[in-house]
Amino acid sequence: MNVTITVNGKAHTHDIEPRTSLVQYLRETLDLTGTHIGCDTSGCGACTVTLNGEAIKSCTMLAVQADGSEVTTIEGMAQNGEMHPIQAAFKEKHGLQCGFCTPGMVMVAADILKNYPKPSEDDIRHGLKGNFCRCTGYHNIVKSIQLAAETINE
Amino acid sequence: MIPAKFDYIKASSVSEAVNLLDKHGFDAKILSGGQSLLPAMKLRLNRPEIVIDINGIAGMNTIEETGDGVIIGANCTHTQILNSEVVYKNLNILHRTVQTLGDVQVRNRGTIGGSLAHADPSADYPAVVLACEANIEVEGKNGKRTIAATDFFEGIFTTALADDEIIIAVHFPKVAHGNYQKFYQSASRFAIVGVAVVHDGNAVRVGITGVSDTPYRATEVEKAYNGNSDAAEHAVDGVEVMSDHFADTEYRSHLTKVMVKRALEA
Amino acid sequence: MGNFIGKAVKRREDARFLKGAGKYTDDIKLPKMTQSAFVRSPYAHAKVLSVDISEAEKADGVVAIFTGSDGCGEYGVPCGWQVDFKNGETMREPKHPLLVKDKIKHVGEAVAFVIAETLEQARDAAELVEVEYEELPVVTDPQKAMDKDAPLVHGEWKDNAAFDWCIGNDRADVEAALEKAHHVTEMEYRNQRLAPNAMEPRSYIADYDVNADKYTLYTSTQNPHLIRLLMCAFVLGIPEHKVRIVSKDVGGGFGSKIYHYTEEALLTWASKQIGRPVKWTSDRSEAFLTDAHGRDHVVKSKMGFDKEGKIVAHLTDEYCAMGAYLSTFAPAVPTYLHGTLFQGVYTTPLIHLNVVGPFTHTVPVDAYRGAGRPEATYLLERIISKGAQEMGMDAAEIRMKNFIPPFDGVKEEGYQTQVALQYDSGNYQQALKKGLEKLGYENFRKEQEEARKNGKLLGVGLSTYIEGCGIAPSAVVGALGARAGLYEVGQVRVQPTGKVSVFTGAHSHGQGHETVFAQFVADKLGIDMADVEIEHGDTDQVAFGMGTYGSRSLAVGGSAIIKSIEKILDKGAKIAAHKLEAAEGDLEYASGKWTVKGTDKSVSFGDVALTAYVPHNYPEGLEPGLDFSSFYDPSNFTYPFGTHIAVVEVDKDTGAVDLQRFIAIDDVGNIMNPMIVDGQIHGGVAQGVGQALLEEVVYDESGQMITGSYMDYAMPRADDLPMIETDNTVTPCPHNPLGVKGAGEAGAIGSTPAVVNAVVDALAHLGVTDIQMPLKPQTVWKAMQN
């Protein structure tokens, strides 16, 4: 099927198999390998991207369904070489170790902060429920998102 | 994980979707939010030859307030319901149910119609549609009909939907006083027990999910209630209670009574 | 000097990970690369009657299909550690084939390997491979595996034991002391099986270059050189110098990526057969069925106390599952990495542990974060608390009574345990006191009392752990059965312009070596961190290495780098002396320059580096260049220790446990980067809490894993955990140059019993003295009913 998807502001048109998931399309067709695959049951959140501004698990959506949509991946977060405040906060607060879950964490954080501009610790922890991290115990991820909220609100 | 091959058709109207279903029968599957269907297809537990995407059908993703009710289009995402003022004000029990459902990403894609049609015995919506006595509006090749929630669930992943029917909308009455209590399965975050209670004057209606292979109305609790939450003792009367490594029959039965009591008292 | 060590320097690896520019193995694409899929057994124990690939071969895009009859790696993957029977019999070591030809021994074993142009085609074709099986009886429980009539996993031997081993004092002496003890506390439980679940699934790409006759294997390993050695020398019989292993960004390991897996060797072999690169990335479902698991000990233990509460003897018998085969380090985990910790932090005079390691029809078990030490710590910290409870003593008081007195390992000698090891330095009292203060122990007890009156069940749990890491002295581990040395290699190459490239055999998969190693290298050389680059994970770049596990990177890998820095500075001093026309002995090195003592005559590091490479005016007889490699073999393990305290509330109606506070006081020796140490502790604690409350691999009677996805295997999510309150005491390691002990596993080792002790404490007034992990609401509720 021929689909056009705008990814990180750029429109791409490809002929793709219906069974191709959005994450496969991003990784294999567009070489945007920042979005990761950590499971096969929608459980880990490593593949989180935003679709028309909302965080979704790109392993649980067909690429053909994204026809005509706007997708932002981790590669689209930094602007003009400047890290997004969420990315900067993760670095500042050591919100990542092995880095594998990190893109998903950053992308879901963007959704959390959109809905909760001044999130409580609870808001953040509940917002992160769909994303596993095996390295950080979430401690510094929560701190990172708290810092990002402060930076964005400044 | 990659699904087996299938053809994808994006339906632009209910009748197109219904005709495709009618034509392909068991080989076809309706794709709504996809949050249950796609993982099952990736694991190749489910391998339809035709996938009919109903997301593009106009008019199926609105939330509408009527005189005494709220009509929620089947394609409304959980997030849409969560953020709806109409639901918050008139059907707060549903708002609270959706808060416990899945995670941000799943709520952003998954739909109420998809969840109901999938009929996972541990899903959250069944309890609330039962307690609210919602009606499920469906359409098939013979036209539209309405199925009462109490008649809708028939077993694990089994509903009263005919092979050619899809859910169009869910009609809820407005509910002033009700709540949802959920005990989470710690891995999937589905309900080990989910209890929805709707107060109607002195009476209550109690919907329960996660406990049996079919969600049910706890009629014995409803009969015994009369303002006394000890009626929760009857929560699993006559019910075949499921067992798994998180909750065996004994514990799940106990937990159901606890959650019913909490829901009655909340 | 001293600008970077001890500072919370932000990580230099973060930018690439945060921008999605990390290069994990699955992110790599090679020209002409093929994709692959495995056909895996759905049965735990079965004869393979036939494998029919005829339909699959005709499928679209298929490049090749291999089965166990195609002659790849006849000997299979070897085990790296030999633990013999206590009666002298040699460890039983079955062949671990790359593809099964005859008999399946666990669910998920591979019978065929399908290579195709695309991943979709490989998966589709794999479904067309027809395998006929004949099901056989199954045993998955390590104790039941030793029953007389248990099904045998391997036909070669009369029972399922891989070894039967013991450590400590004479069993009869320990038994006699228990007979005479004032009080004996007993425990029987299973330290349950866990799935490590690094978030990046294993991924491999093998690329055979026919013109150079050279293999490159890109692999998500913690251990590139050892994989190369094992694969070349034991599995495939290919020359080591013709194999390059590349393991750059790796998404977590926690032990599960130490081992040499069958798929690594099979892909390497297959790439040569097809003359093209081939990639395989595990699904999560496959990971549950094929990644080595952790723990799985069945434990029976007795601890004897005198009437003051002093421990007089400790006797334990364990059955520790090996799984279907011996994974790389498997036999060492429940023996030398476990039994040697049975002293704990206590002066127990008599200790005996017997361990039987049975084969079971399950995935192999190997080291998982902590590896043997969490299991030892769990037993010690639970049984001492249980003893206190039974004797009506306070959990803190009984520990204070039994602690080994403080010793620094310099003025005071190291502490000789009853179980082979000599501790390096320790101050266990200090850590406990600090933890109790942070908690406000006295106040908590009052609060708990009040809460109980109101029907609220609060509990506090202590764990005063020790662990042995920084593995390990080669001679010691060699004597204990290791088939490899456990030194590390560090090369420091000063470039002509004074910039420094460091090559380490340690491997970073989240630990932040690129930052921490650069911190101390920059300090020791007195140069800027920006002038130091850390390289790892490529056998063509790094001379040799033993990889990262056992919290060894800084203690062993860091020390190897320090040795090379010393050589650099020694040679640099010779060059500097020549340039300054001074005697070497008159020079001192500080802030990146050599200065003639008492003068302002100096020459900079950069000048010396340039001179070493442009040796026109140069000391006679001295080789040009400034590049040294060192092997560092530690003289002892290191022994981090600390106190972990958990506070929980138990829902009396449902049994649900709410972890309200977690305090971790850890002594990891000197700290290079406190931000990173805290991060390591946070993650370790989360995994330890995961074991206590959530995680469990469950097999049913037929050997099917019923927790094979995130729908059923519960791991901590963000809302399961509180903020973790960390602090440190600092007792330097006396035997390595940085004085460091290691922080990677401490969190996972100390935390588990703290949580369980807290839950038991919350229910103590109901007569509860023990609960089986994981503390699922159901399990806790049932404990309350009895």
Side-chain angles (χ1 to χ4, degrees), chain C residues 638-659:
Chain C
T638 59
Y639 299 90
F641 61 88
T643 291
H644 286 189
I645 303 180
V647 175
V648 300
E649 183 178 344
V650 177
D651 182 329
K652 66 178 168 35
D653 297 325
T654 65
V657 175
D658 178 24
L659 180 61

Side-chain angles (χ1 to χ4, degrees), chain B residues 1-5 42-44 47 103 183-190 244-252 254-255 258-259 262, chain C residues 60 119-120 123-124 127 283 285 651 653-656 694 696 698 706-707 710-715 717 719-720 776-778 781-782:
Chain B
M1 277 275 147
I2 296 163
K5 272 190 186 169
K42 286 198 295 179
L43 295 165
R44 300 199 176 190
R47 37 198 319 158
D103 52 54
F183 198 86
Y184 292 88
Q185 194 256 52
S186 51
S188 69
R189 299 298 182 95
F190 274 71
D244 58 34
H245 80 282
F246 290 101
D248 63 16
T249 303
E250 181 198 10
Y251 176 66
R252 196 179 235 108
H254 163 77
L255 201 57
V258 171
M259 301 315 279
R262 286 181 184 180
Chain C
D60 284 351
L119 187 56
E120 289 81 356
R123 294 289 169 98
D124 290 348
E127 281 198 321
D283 287 328
S285 317
D651 182 329
D653 297 325
T654 65
L694 297 165
E696 163 185 44
V698 182
I706 61 174
T707 52
Y710 291 148
M711 299 300 280
D712 296 297
Y713 188 87
M715 296 200 299
R717 292 189 182 272
D719 59 342
D720 289 315
K776 294 186 284 196
Q778 163 172 288
W781 179 77
K782 290 197 171 182

Side-chain angles (χ1 to χ4, degrees), chain B residues 23 60 92 190 198 217 234 248 250 254:
Chain B
K23 186 171 153 201
M60 274 180 69
N92 199 259
F190 274 71
V198 170
R217 277 278 291 276
H234 300 287
D248 63 16
E250 181 198 10
H254 163 77

